[in-house]
Amino acid sequence: MFSLKLSWRRCGITCCNLKCTLWCFVSFLLVFGKAIHAIARISDEFCFDPLEKGLALRSVNSSRSAYAYIFFSSMFFQHYCWTAVSQPCQKEKQLSLPCKLFIKSVLPVFRCVNVLERNVEKCSIYTNTNEHHITFQLLCRNGVIKTYNLTFQECDPLQAVFAKHMCPNILKVHSRLLADIMIHFPTSQEEVTLSVTPMKVCFRSYAEEDTMLTEIQLNPDEFDYFQVGVDSEVTFCLKELRGLLAFSEATHGPVSIHFDVSGRYVLELPI
């Protein structure tokens, strides 16, 4: 499983407002929509966390075994305006106020990302903590404007504690190769086991007695970067990995896997 230790910190009451715009760059809108869909594979809710340097989306599943973090730099947006004003009674100024959104309320905004890419020219996102809602506004072709006002709940920020630089095993591979491998596993498959040695990498499905076993082996030279310091075997949820790979279709980036022993690993998709 994606077993990561999580820690929380309490936020003070802060007035934090965000205004950001995805203007004309339809490929960027596609990436943002794919990110929402990827997070939907993790949990039914996620943390919408506007920061001074950009917008962070965070989510953790119900068993606390998988944590997703997607950060969009302010440079990703055509316009990004972030302000925070602390209350007079506060001793320390808190510069962010994460808010929790239910994924079912956000998915209709980005339900068909391919249709959005063809029809939407501008996507604006506004937050207002005083009114406790986030507004998604889509400016479509032919002057059609779609506005979604979504109520949010204040929440504690999520932060995964994992020292990836301490991992003896690092694999870096193009996401397309991983996607091709996952095609061989049935959609009903819940978990896949990854085992590595200095000589090979093996993906195999967990199978009970009298059921079919799928196993795919790769050589070290098939990876962009291959470092195995300890023979390891980790099992992870296939649904969550497929969500990451679906997101990678929009970014066309490599996937880095850092791990040591079962229960401690992280997957990264740099944009």
Side-chain angles (χ1 to χ4, degrees):
M1 297 295 181
F2 293 86
S3 182
L4 300 181
K5 182 180 179 182
L6 303 178
S7 64
W8 290 262
R9 61 179 174 85
R10 180 68 63 177
C11 271
I13 300 177
T14 307
C15 177
C16 176
N17 298 318
L18 167 73
K19 179 181 178 181
C20 56
T21 303
L22 288 172
W23 173 266
C24 291
F25 300 106
V26 292
S27 59
F28 289 1
L29 181 59
L30 177 64
V31 171
F32 194 86
K34 289 282 188 178
I36 298 296
H37 282 264
I39 284 181
R41 300 288 189 106
I42 302 294
S43 177
D44 294 332
E45 57 189 36
F46 69 97
C47 180
F48 188 92
D49 192 2
L51 304 170
E52 185 175 8
K53 295 183 178 180
L55 176 62
L57 307 180
R58 312 172 195 262
S59 181
V60 61
N61 64 0
S62 58
S63 62
R64 299 294 194 269
S65 63
Y67 170 82
Y69 170 74
I70 302 176
F71 179 75
F72 294 94
S73 167
S74 59
M75 300 300 293
F76 177 83
F77 302 94
Q78 194 252 358
H79 174 72
Y80 186 90
C81 179
W82 175 92
T83 59
V85 181
S86 58
Q87 299 295 334
C89 60
Q90 275 189 257
K91 294 182 179 180
E92 294 183 3
K93 183 178 180 181
Q94 300 290 340
L95 294 181
S96 65
L97 180 60
C99 43
K100 181 172 66 177
L101 288 170
F102 291 98
I103 199 69
K104 287 184 178 180
S105 65
V106 183
L107 277 178
V109 184
F110 303 97
R111 184 171 300 280
C112 300
V113 291
N114 293 329
V115 175
L116 289 177
E117 189 178 15
R118 294 193 301 268
N119 298 329
V120 177
E121 297 180 343
K122 173 184 175 182
C123 174
S124 298
I125 306 172
Y126 308 87
T127 66
N128 191 317
T129 54
N130 294 328
E131 299 180 6
H132 280 76
H133 72 255
I134 297 176
T135 298
F136 292 85
Q137 189 174 79
L138 304 179
L139 177 60
C140 307
R141 290 183 172 87
N142 301 320
V144 176
I145 299 177
K146 297 181 180 180
T147 303
Y148 302 82
N149 293 315
L150 308 180
T151 302
F152 66 80
Q153 300 176 7
E154 296 178 11
C155 68
D156 295 329
L158 299 172
Q159 182 63 51
V161 179
F162 187 82
K164 67 178 184 180
H165 63 280
M166 299 294 291
C167 293
N169 300 333
I170 303 174
L171 304 177
K172 186 175 182 180
V173 61
H174 198 277
S175 56
R176 183 71 262 171
L177 177 59
L178 276 184
D180 291 341
I181 292 174
M182 295 305 117
I183 291 176
H184 297 284
F185 296 98
T187 55
S188 59
Q189 185 72 42
E190 295 184 357
E191 296 179 338
V192 170
T193 298
L194 166 66
S195 59
V196 298
T197 69
M199 301 300 296
K200 67 177 182 180
V201 173
C202 177
F203 290 89
R204 70 174 183 274
S205 60
Y206 172 79
E208 297 180 354
E209 189 176 358
D210 299 329
T211 59
M212 182 178 67
L213 174 67
T214 302
E215 181 174 306
I216 300 175
Q217 294 187 5
L218 301 174
N219 296 322
D221 57 7
E222 297 184 68
F223 292 84
D224 298 332
Y225 182 80
F226 184 88
Q227 173 186 306
V228 174
V230 178
D231 292 1
S232 300
E233 184 174 283
V234 293
T235 300
F236 53 88
C237 178
L238 188 55
K239 175 184 176 181
E240 294 159 354
L241 176 61
R242 282 178 169 149
L244 171 70
L245 295 178
F247 178 42
S248 71
E249 292 179 4
T251 62
H252 306 290
V255 175
S256 298
I257 309 173
H258 305 255
F259 61 103
D260 47 13
V261 296
S262 181
R264 287 178 52 82
Y265 65 100
V266 61
L267 283 83
E268 285 189 326
L269 179 63
I271 300 178

